[in-house]
Amino acid sequence: MSSTPRKKKTILFLAANPKNSTPLRLGEEAKEIAEGLQRSKKRDKFQLEQQWAVTPREMQRAVLDYKPEIVHFSGHGAGEGGLALEDDMGEIKLVNAKALAALFEAFNEYVECVILNACYSEVQAEAIARHIPYVIGMNQAVGDKAAREFAVGFYDTLAAGESIEFAYKLGCVSISMAGIPEQLTPVLKKKSDFSGLDAAERSPDASFSDNIVEKSSPVVENARSIATPPISISNLDNPEGSVSLDCPLYIDRPPIESDCYQTIVKPGALIRVKAPRQMGKTSLLQRILHHAKEQGHQTAYLNFQSADGSFLTNLDELLQWFCGDKLFSI
């Protein structure tokens, strides 16, 4: 007697990149996931479904229609504000953690794993993990490239027949192997971690539609660099000039830092930093050059402010100055 063919596991890829948010390369992420699944030995065990520019209603319908085992959201996150889906006009519409938890609680019979490939999505992951066995979120800003590397590493491993926990580990390794210092950004939350909570805590008193907030301006966090650690008030000072690489007073301005870090390692790259005085241009420059050195590049720093004004109008004097001791390695 022949056995019934085993049902394929459905991966539902949900993407949102509202018009009033920073563009992301979500299409490349979906393509690389699909290619990885196709080349795997167990490609017949998985089915990839995609839904683009998702609104809250479309997200709910997609989960209802496909009843997927794995739900993957890729896009922007705003921490406590929620995940950035789209409204009917393609603008940002935030869906908070309680709404998402309520949605996945309704489908916990089917869904085994949820991946939130968006910045600051740990708060949503923790809420969803009260109902779903495995949920992966980001504990801080995640770069576009790091997010893709994690996704590809995760699904390559899963399609090789490994467990979700092992796929999570290899996804983090993929970020590190790509030379991106964000391998600690993805975090895995498990339902078993919340088994000791009482029923009231596990079941938020909220429906999916009751916790959707519209945003008319592009305030969604989409940073691409590691967040700055908390600052102790007792250690505050009033720095002059640039600040050191480990100074807690330096505040990232996403996605400026990550964009510069990705650009500086490209051949022939040119980065122009323009801002008023005392805005941290030199401090940013130090971090860009430091990142380049970490990637194995040689760096040199040339400060034209130290040049005599006459050098800039006489080519011979300028070249002599340029080749003199004003040019030095960092």
Side-chain angles (χ1 to χ4, degrees):
M1 185 175 75
S2 61
S3 58
T4 303
R6 187 176 178 182
K7 176 182 176 294
K8 289 184 177 182
K9 285 195 173 185
T10 299
I11 300 169
L12 177 58
F13 183 92
L14 302 171
N17 197 173
K19 293 187 295 186
N20 54 340
S21 66
T22 303
L24 302 174
R25 300 173 69 178
L26 304 183
E28 184 175 334
E29 181 179 335
K31 178 182 177 182
E32 292 185 12
I33 291 174
E35 290 175 349
L37 293 173
Q38 185 59 36
R39 60 167 292 280
S40 69
K41 293 181 179 179
K42 298 184 180 294
R43 55 182 174 271
D44 58 328
K45 302 297 183 182
F46 296 92
Q47 178 175 329
L48 179 64
E49 302 290 346
Q50 302 180 33
Q51 188 82 35
W52 293 85
V54 290
T55 64
R57 179 181 298 168
E58 290 169 344
M59 182 180 193
Q60 183 170 324
R61 284 177 174 174
V63 179
L64 178 63
D65 291 343
Y66 293 112
K67 293 180 173 59
E69 283 76 15
I70 300 173
V71 177
H72 180 112
F73 172 80
S74 191
H76 289 299
E80 295 288 345
L83 297 182
L85 274 60
E86 301 188 17
D87 62 15
D88 294 336
M89 302 299 293
E91 303 287 331
I92 294 169
K93 199 163 193 176
L94 295 180
V95 180
N96 66 25
K98 286 186 178 181
L100 292 166
L103 172 66
F104 286 104
E105 181 182 17
F107 292 98
N108 61 8
E109 181 182 348
Y110 310 104
V111 181
E112 301 173 2
C113 179
V114 176
I115 297 96
L116 305 177
N117 220 2
C119 295
Y120 305 108
S121 55
E122 182 178 14
V123 60
Q124 288 81 31
E126 188 166 311
I128 296 170
R130 298 167 186 262
H131 313 289
I132 303 299
Y134 299 98
V135 186
I136 297 170
M138 304 296 160
N139 62 15
Q140 56 189 9
V142 60
D144 202 10
K145 185 177 180 181
R148 293 197 305 273
E149 289 292 342
F150 175 81
V152 174
F154 178 87
Y155 289 108
D156 278 357
T157 308
L158 202 64
E162 300 293 343
S163 68
I164 290 175
E165 291 191 50
F166 190 67
Y168 160 74
K169 293 180 181 178
L170 265 291
C172 296
V173 169
S174 294
I175 298 176
S176 183
M177 291 290 287
I180 306 171
E182 299 178 45
Q183 68 274 12
L184 300 180
T185 301
V187 290
L188 175 64
K189 304 289 183 179
K190 296 184 288 185
K191 184 179 179 180
S192 58
D193 295 336
F194 302 94
S195 59
L197 298 179
D198 58 41
E201 288 181 304
R202 291 197 306 269
S203 302
D205 185 16
S207 67
F208 182 59
S209 59
D210 287 342
N211 289 280
I212 298 170
V213 182
E214 293 193 37
K215 281 286 184 182
S216 58
S217 59
V219 296
V220 174
E221 297 281 2
N222 71 319
R224 301 291 191 268
S225 59
I226 297 177
T228 305
I231 301 173
S232 172
I233 295 179
S234 61
N235 294 328
L236 287 177
D237 56 14
N238 185 23
E240 292 291 337
S242 62
V243 296
S244 62
L245 295 174
D246 59 351
C247 179
L249 293 175
Y250 182 84
I251 300 176
D252 285 350
R253 290 151 294 189
I256 294 174
E257 283 79 8
S258 60
D259 286 349
C260 290
Y261 297 159
Q262 293 178 25
T263 302
I264 194 64
V265 296
K266 296 179 181 178
L270 173 65
I271 301 174
R272 182 189 183 195
V273 180
K274 184 178 180 181
R277 290 178 58 82
Q278 302 299 316
M279 292 297 292
K281 299 185 295 298
T282 305
S283 297
L284 172 61
L285 176 61
Q286 289 181 342
R287 283 152 179 78
I288 295 172
L289 294 177
H290 177 71
H291 177 78
K293 286 188 67 176
E294 286 188 328
Q295 305 306 311
H297 297 278
Q298 291 185 336
T299 64
Y301 176 77
L302 181 64
N303 185 359
F304 279 94
Q305 288 185 336
S306 64
D308 189 286
S310 63
F311 294 168
L312 305 180
T313 59
N314 186 303
L315 180 59
D316 290 337
E317 292 185 7
L318 175 63
L319 294 177
Q320 291 177 20
W321 174 81
F322 184 84
C323 296
D325 60 0
K326 299 300 182 183
L327 184 64
F328 53 91
S329 296
I330 290 184

